[in-house]
Amino acid sequence: MNVLILGGTREARELADRASGERGFDIVSSLAGRVSDPLLPPGAVRIGGFGGAEGLREWLADNKIDAVVDATHPFAGTMSAHAATAAGALGVPLLHVRRPGWTEQPGDHWIRVPDLAAAAEALADLGERVFLTIGRQGVAAFAGLHRHWFLIRAIDPPEGAVPIRHQLLLARGPFPVAEEAGLLAEHRIEVLVTKDSGGTLTDAKLTAARAAGLPVVMVDRPALPPGGAVVDSAVEAWNWLRRKQTEK
Ligand code: NAP
């Protein structure tokens, strides 16, 4: 069974680790190629875009792919949509792996917003010293805020416009709670802005914000495209793949 795993996440690496080398499975993991030094999954890896939904459809057909696992990040909405279109056009089974989002706990003060533009608007009433942990993309949404100061953390430098008053911190998680609490104190942070990525690799900042009594602007995930099954872990994705193999 030829399987394409669309990756860039811990779940994608876990699934590739589980499935690579298993009898009857030929697994290829795909990465966008955005990060300069990506964490590579085990097994075969291809890097770079496919050229839109049509390019992906051709790639799936050329490589005789029997199943697609979209284990991209919950905010990689374009790739998920292309996967749905391309797999749908060929009648290839598609699975989305979506880890659960984060849930507000007692003591949290979260402001949920639908997108980054709304997050930038919400900052008007929430403090001027901002810890921005939304990744490299989308920082431009905050570039018009001249009154605010931003600590911007990402793995690689942001693309496009950035706010005038900022400090860049290049780092890859996981980050321990004590380190996150230290950052909030050192930079006198008044508000945290993050995306509802879910998972345990990067949730320490939420614990630190709760302990410090800071508001959190939480950007909601984009909706998944219609079609395709959905699970929330690599283990369940592996079970789905084995079922598909039996059905084949
Ligand atoms: P996106 O906006 O959904 O996708 C933009 C384009 O990047 C796609 O149209 C596709 O190009 C290419 N692409 C994305 N994921 C790909 C993959 N796994 N393999 C091959 N091409 C891919 O994606 P994004 O938000 O830029 O994220 C890029 C990658 O980083 C994803 O793999 C994702 O899992 C990972 N990631 C994203 C975030 C985030 O917050 N967005 C966080 C952590 C990791 P073509 O149209 O040319 O095929």
Side-chain angles (χ1 to χ4, degrees), residues 4-9 29-35 46-53 55-56 70-82 99 134-137 155 195 197:
L4 173 66
I5 302 176
L6 297 165
T9 59
S29 295
S30 175
L31 300 177
R34 298 285 164 69
V35 179
R46 66 163 299 288
I47 295 183
F50 296 93
L56 177 59
D70 165 31
T72 55
H73 190 270
F75 281 83
T78 305
M79 190 69 251
S80 296
H82 290 176
R99 69 180 81 129
I134 57 162
R136 201 189 71 242
Q137 302 179 74
I155 297 176
K195 299 191 293 194
S197 300

Side-chain angles (χ1 to χ4, degrees):
M1 182 159 173
N2 296 325
V3 179
L4 173 66
I5 302 176
L6 297 165
T9 59
R10 174 192 207 157
E11 289 78 8
R13 289 191 295 278
E14 282 174 4
L15 179 61
D17 191 29
R18 184 70 193 81
S20 293
E22 284 284 341
R23 238 178 62 186
F25 286 95
D26 205 339
I27 306 284
V28 181
S29 295
S30 175
L31 300 177
R34 298 285 164 69
V35 179
S36 55
D37 177 23
L39 295 175
L40 290 176
V45 179
R46 66 163 299 288
I47 295 183
F50 296 93
E54 180 53 24
L56 177 59
R57 191 193 61 76
E58 277 172 26
W59 194 95
L60 296 178
D62 291 350
N63 290 276
K64 301 188 170 39
I65 295 297
D66 300 304
V68 176
V69 180
D70 165 31
T72 55
H73 190 270
F75 281 83
T78 305
M79 190 69 251
S80 296
H82 290 176
T85 305
L90 295 170
V92 170
L94 168 67
L95 177 71
H96 301 284
V97 187
R98 281 294 170 278
R99 69 180 81 129
W102 288 316
T103 325
E104 212 169 337
Q105 316 255 321
D108 279 333
H109 170 38
W110 289 5
I111 300 95
R112 283 204 174 264
V113 292
D115 53 33
L116 291 172
E121 267 177 43
L123 284 179
D125 309 321
L126 289 170
E128 296 189 358
R129 298 187 64 84
V130 184
F131 186 19
L132 190 61
T133 65
I134 57 162
R136 201 189 71 242
Q137 302 179 74
V139 174
F142 300 86
L145 300 183
H146 302 322
R147 189 166 55 85
H148 294 73
W149 177 90
F150 291 85
L151 176 64
I152 302 173
R153 183 169 67 194
I155 297 176
D156 285 318
E159 293 167 347
V162 288
I164 298 176
R165 302 177 62 219
H166 79 270
Q167 181 175 327
L168 185 58
L169 177 59
L170 297 182
R172 184 184 339 237
F175 307 102
V177 176
E179 220 173 89
E180 299 291 55
L183 272 185
L184 298 182
E186 180 190 343
H187 296 283
R188 293 177 287 117
I189 297 296
E190 295 169 325
V191 53
L192 167 69
V193 178
T194 191
K195 299 191 293 194
D196 188 6
S197 300
T200 54
L201 281 181
T202 57
D203 64 352
K205 61 195 169 197
L206 301 174
T207 311
R210 185 181 311 128
L214 298 185
V216 175
V217 178
M218 182 66 71
V219 181
D220 283 335
R221 302 164 164 205
L224 276 172
V230 185
V231 297
D232 66 11
S233 68
V235 172
E236 286 175 62
W238 172 235
N239 291 337
W240 181 87
L241 273 181
R242 283 194 308 184
R243 275 201 307 279
K244 289 291 153 201
Q245 190 193 33
T246 323
E247 288 166 13
K248 199 173 163 236

